[in-house]
């Protein structure tokens, strides 16, 4: 091998070391790695005493680039990235020095991570933090998160956050989410994979029937016995196991009634946060000190309140003074930095007020959306939106939303209109069209689990069955599949209509279309 050829290879192996040792030509004849040579000749490191560690890092980086470890095609459980090397070092700031020579290494023991991420052809070099080492230990030794939390005297969320960070950095490889549409699910003209799997599963938890309002369209005012605290904590543990088994993040959306009237709300909220769940509240205006108490535990992903139109109509539906209380509460949430959502139930009597209300909420709400009335419970006493007016209403709403950033597109049939206009689809009601029994379920105070809260859709009881068994039951799969009438729809993965609305009209929700679906009109049928 010629000297010129060896120098070229050497520069590729040790580009930074080559800068620091201009006389490398004098040692190229030794048939050994530079770190081994420097170990035998420590005098060559007098000027740069960190050179030995630096050489080992560059050797590791070159090794991963030229001979990377094969990565498994399918990961069924979290594993340490095979293309990762953990190097003990006696100098700090070496990764920074590799890219910035002005960052001077300092004496100090530590570890350096050298790794190649799946699907990438570059190698990352980074200092290993305590959390990184903990994550690697937990995964390598197969330690369950709750055991690690117990032994460390910390909340489970602290352990899972460490594992999540390690996954994001590529230190560990985790399986993809198991919340995904089956292969036979209709795809239509939707090809974005994000609409076919979900990384989050939401438990919409109606923890109490107790409510400080008496709304005219309430879906359920029945007397269901509330859970004991012990039962509720068992639900959180079951949900945690479900999310771990399905490799998804968990979210608990507390609802009711008014969830904050549940006698154990503060404890339950804290326990949900300790388990690492994202939290949200679907409730009513509450005093500032109640919100601050919640924020001291964990900021919710959002706090959702309801308005049913402008002041007169809203107060007719939800009670005198409710409109003003909600507007004041939205200002309070804004002051406290809480994401504010406002939901409206769309009826014949308020559809002409929606755009005016949206304009009033500009700057007061972060997101304003609506659901069509489901004629279930007391909702059957109100008048539904006329079928023939609905497409024009959607079009007007979409046009207004172009200049109003708080207006959202929760209604699934917006995606049919977007398809008609040649626009890309959105996520619809639950991020995947109708998410009933797919990426969320509703849990009632007495343990009943429903595919959707807005209609009778019982799929199990969490007192008698594990959530995992309920989710994979034939009843749940039937609700997930939706209506057979949607199987040829071009936007099926992001739509599916609203089964609760169909149910309210006496339709067969498993075979008939949503009565408001205008695809039939578009196709001329």
């Amino acid at each position: 091998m010629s000297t010129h050829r060896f120098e070229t290879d050497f520069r590729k192996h040790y580009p930074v070391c080559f800068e620091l040792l201009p006389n490398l030509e004098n040692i190229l004849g030794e048939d050994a790695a530079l770190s081994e040579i420097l170990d035998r000749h420590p005098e060559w490191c007098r000027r740069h005493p960190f050179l030995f560690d630096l050489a080992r890092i560059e050797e590791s980086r070159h090794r991963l680039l030229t001979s990377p470890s094969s990565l498994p095609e399918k990961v069924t459980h979290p594993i340490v990235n095979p293309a990762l090397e953990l190097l003990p070092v006696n100098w700090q700031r070496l990764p920074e020095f590799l890219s910035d020579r002005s960052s001077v290494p300092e004496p100090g023991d530590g570890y350096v991570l050298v790794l190649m991420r799946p699907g990438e052809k570059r190698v990352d070099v980074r200092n290993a933090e305590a959390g990184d080492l903990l994550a690697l230990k937990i995964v390598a030794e197969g330690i369950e998160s709750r055991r690690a939390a117990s032994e460390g005297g910390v909340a489970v969320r602290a352990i899972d956050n460490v594992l999540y960070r390690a996954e994001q950095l590529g230190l560990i490889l985790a399986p993809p989410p198991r919340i995904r549409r089956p292969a036979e699910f209709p795809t239509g003209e939707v090809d974005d994979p994000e609409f076919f799997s979900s990384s989050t599963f939401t438990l919409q938890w109606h923890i109490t029937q107790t409510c400080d309002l008496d709304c005219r369209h309430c879906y359920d005012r029945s007397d269901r016995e509330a859970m004991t605290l012990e039962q509720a904590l068992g639900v959180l543990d079951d949900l945690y196991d479900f999310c771990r088994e399905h490799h998804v993040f968990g979210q608990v959306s507390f609802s009711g009634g008014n969830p904050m009237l549940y006698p154990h709300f503060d404890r339950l909220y804290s326990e949900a946060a300790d388990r690492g769940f994202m939290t949200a509240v679907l409730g009513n205006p509450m005093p500032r000190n109640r919100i601050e108490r919640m924020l001291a535990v964990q900021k919710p992903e959002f706090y959702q309140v309801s308005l049913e139109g402008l002041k007169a109509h809203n107060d007719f539906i939800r009670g005198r003074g409710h409109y003003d209380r909600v507007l004041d509460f939205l200002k309070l949430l804004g002051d406290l930095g809480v994401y504010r959502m406002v939901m409206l139930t769309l009826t014949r009597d308020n559809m002409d007020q929606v755009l005016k209300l949206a304009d009033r909420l500009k700057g007061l709400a972060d997101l304003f959306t609506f659901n069509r009335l489901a004629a279930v419970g007391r909702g059957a006493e109100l008048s539904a939106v006329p079928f023939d007016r609905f497409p024009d209403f959607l079009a007007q709403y979409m046009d207004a939303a172009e200049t109003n950033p708080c207006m959202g597109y929760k209604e699934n049939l917006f995606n049919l209109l977007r398809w008609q206009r040649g626009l890309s689809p959105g996520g619809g009601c639950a991020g995947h069209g109708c998410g009933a029994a797919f990426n969320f379920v509703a849990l009632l105070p007495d343990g009943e689990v429903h595919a959707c809260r807005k209609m009778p859709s019982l799929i199990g009881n969490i007192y008698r069955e594990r959530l995992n068994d309920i989710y994979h039951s034939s009843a749940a799969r039937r609700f997930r599949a939706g209506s057979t009438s949607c199987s040829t729809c071009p936007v099926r993965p992001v739509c599916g209509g609203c089964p609760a609305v169909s149910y309210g009209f006496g339709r067969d929700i498993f075979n008939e279309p949503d009565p408001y679906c205008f695809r039939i009109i578009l196709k001329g049928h």
Side-chain angles (χ1 to χ4, degrees):
M1 179 182 293
S2 69
T3 301
H4 176 72
R5 171 69 180 278
F6 195 91
E7 286 183 8
T8 302
D9 291 343
F10 195 89
R11 287 178 184 273
K12 291 181 180 179
H13 278 70
Y14 309 99
V16 180
C17 290
F18 198 92
E19 290 181 24
L20 302 178
L21 283 180
N23 62 339
L24 278 179
E25 292 84 353
N26 298 327
I27 60 174
L28 293 181
E30 299 197 35
D31 187 17
L34 178 59
S35 61
E36 296 175 0
I37 298 172
L38 294 175
D39 190 39
R40 292 197 293 265
H41 300 282
E43 67 274 11
W44 292 343
C45 298
R46 286 174 186 156
R47 185 176 178 187
H48 304 292
F50 54 84
L51 198 59
F52 172 75
D53 282 342
L54 188 65
R56 293 171 57 240
I57 293 173
E58 292 204 292
E59 287 164 3
S60 178
R61 183 168 63 177
H62 187 266
R63 186 163 49 246
L64 290 177
L65 281 171
T66 56
S67 303
S69 300
S70 60
L71 299 175
E73 293 184 5
K74 185 177 181 181
V75 177
T76 59
H77 61 279
I79 63 171
V80 174
N81 183 351
L84 176 148
E85 296 186 12
L86 180 65
L87 306 177
V89 294
N90 301 120
W91 288 81
Q92 300 290 319
R93 301 177 62 82
L94 292 172
E96 294 88 342
F97 183 76
L98 286 172
S99 57
D100 180 7
R101 305 298 183 269
S102 66
S103 180
V104 181
E106 302 171 351
D109 294 340
Y111 289 89
V112 168
L113 294 162
V114 186
L115 70 144
M116 180 178 285
R117 298 169 182 262
E120 297 186 6
K121 295 183 178 180
R122 65 182 180 88
V123 172
D124 288 343
V125 180
R126 58 185 305 112
N127 297 303
E129 299 181 8
D132 301 332
L133 300 177
L134 177 60
L136 293 173
K137 177 181 174 64
I138 289 173
V139 172
E141 298 181 10
I143 303 173
E144 202 269 334
S145 290
R146 281 176 289 201
R147 175 188 153 198
S150 177
E151 293 178 354
V154 298
V156 176
R157 66 176 169 183
I159 299 297
D160 285 342
N161 286 343
V162 162
L163 293 172
Y164 175 69
R165 179 180 183 275
E167 181 184 342
Q168 296 301 106
L169 293 175
L171 311 186
I172 62 176
L173 307 183
R178 289 184 57 210
I179 300 294
R180 56 180 59 249
R181 298 294 192 186
E184 64 272 16
F185 193 81
T187 60
E189 298 178 11
V190 178
D191 55 10
D192 191 330
E194 76 169 280
F195 296 125
F196 296 89
S197 68
S198 177
S199 61
T200 301
F201 181 81
T202 298
L203 181 70
Q204 188 183 85
W205 195 352
H206 299 261
I207 56 178
T208 180
Q209 296 288 88
T210 303
C211 190
D212 47 333
L213 301 178
D214 188 24
C215 303
R216 293 176 180 269
H217 63 333
C218 186
Y219 297 120
D220 185 1
R221 293 294 288 171
S222 62
D223 185 19
R224 297 177 185 266
E225 185 176 353
M227 291 184 181
T228 65
L229 177 60
E230 182 180 7
Q231 289 171 323
L233 296 180
V235 168
L236 291 178
D237 287 336
D238 193 13
L239 176 62
Y240 182 86
D241 289 338
F242 176 87
C243 292
R244 295 290 288 179
E245 291 170 12
H246 291 79
H247 312 297
V248 293
F249 299 104
Q251 175 169 309
V252 180
S253 293
F254 292 100
S255 186
N258 183 346
M260 285 194 165
L261 298 182
Y262 177 64
H264 307 294
F265 176 82
D266 288 350
R267 172 72 186 280
L268 197 57
Y269 189 89
S270 178
E271 292 282 350
D274 283 349
R275 286 163 176 77
F277 294 129
M278 295 176 286
T279 50
V281 177
L282 290 71
N284 301 333
M286 296 296 290
R288 183 185 187 101
N289 67 323
R290 292 290 284 113
I291 305 303
E292 289 177 333
R293 207 153 72 215
M294 178 178 64
L295 293 179
V297 175
Q298 175 171 288
K299 180 186 288 190
E301 298 297 305
F302 61 84
Y303 194 117
Q304 178 179 300
V305 292
S306 295
L307 285 173
E308 306 307 336
L310 300 176
K311 184 173 182 177
H313 181 74
N314 176 82
D315 288 3
F316 169 74
I317 297 293
R318 290 191 170 267
R320 185 176 180 181
H322 177 263
Y323 182 86
D324 289 334
R325 287 198 303 275
V326 168
L327 294 191
D328 289 342
F329 186 62
L330 291 174
K331 294 175 184 175
L332 169 63
L333 292 179
D335 291 342
L336 295 174
V338 177
Y339 191 90
R340 303 158 294 179
M341 288 177 55
V342 175
M343 174 63 68
L344 173 143
T345 299
L346 188 68
T347 67
R348 181 187 64 186
D349 297 325
N350 68 5
M351 62 185 302
D352 292 330
Q353 301 178 35
V354 170
L355 300 187
K356 293 178 182 178
L357 178 62
D359 191 59
R360 177 68 182 87
L361 291 173
K362 191 184 300 183
L364 274 177
D366 299 291
L367 183 65
F368 169 61
T369 58
F370 66 86
N371 280 325
R372 281 174 282 148
L373 173 73
V376 178
R378 295 180 67 179
E381 301 173 11
L382 302 183
S383 298
V385 173
F387 298 148
D388 59 348
R389 293 187 60 192
F390 191 58
D392 286 342
F393 168 80
L394 291 184
Q396 293 168 12
Y397 183 100
M398 270 188 70
D399 292 341
E402 291 182 5
T403 57
N404 189 337
C406 78
M407 296 173 68
Y409 297 104
K410 181 178 174 64
E411 165 61 56
N412 283 331
L413 289 174
F414 274 122
N415 279 321
L416 191 55
L417 182 57
R418 294 181 71 86
W419 171 77
Q420 182 185 18
R421 293 183 174 186
L423 302 174
S424 58
C429 181
H432 308 81
C434 178
F438 175 59
N439 64 332
F440 77 88
V441 295
L443 174 61
L444 305 191
D446 57 1
E448 286 189 359
V449 179
H450 288 251
C452 175
R453 182 67 181 95
K454 295 192 299 179
M455 65 177 175
S457 50
L458 184 65
I459 57 177
N461 191 296
I462 208 159
Y463 290 159
R464 299 190 294 269
E465 308 160 84
R466 294 178 65 234
L467 180 57
N468 185 65
D469 297 329
I470 295 173
Y471 183 84
H472 292 288
S473 67
S474 58
R477 288 198 300 269
R478 194 180 187 202
F479 280 104
R480 276 199 290 279
S483 175
T484 58
S485 65
C486 297
S487 60
T488 60
C489 179
V491 294
R492 173 63 186 95
V494 290
C495 188
C498 180
V501 171
S502 294
Y503 177 90
F505 279 99
R507 298 289 184 98
D508 176 358
I509 66 172
F510 300 112
N511 294 293
E512 293 186 89
D514 183 320
Y516 287 90
C517 177
F518 47 92
R519 173 173 169 255
I520 299 174
I521 300 174
L522 293 176
K523 295 186 69 172
H525 291 176

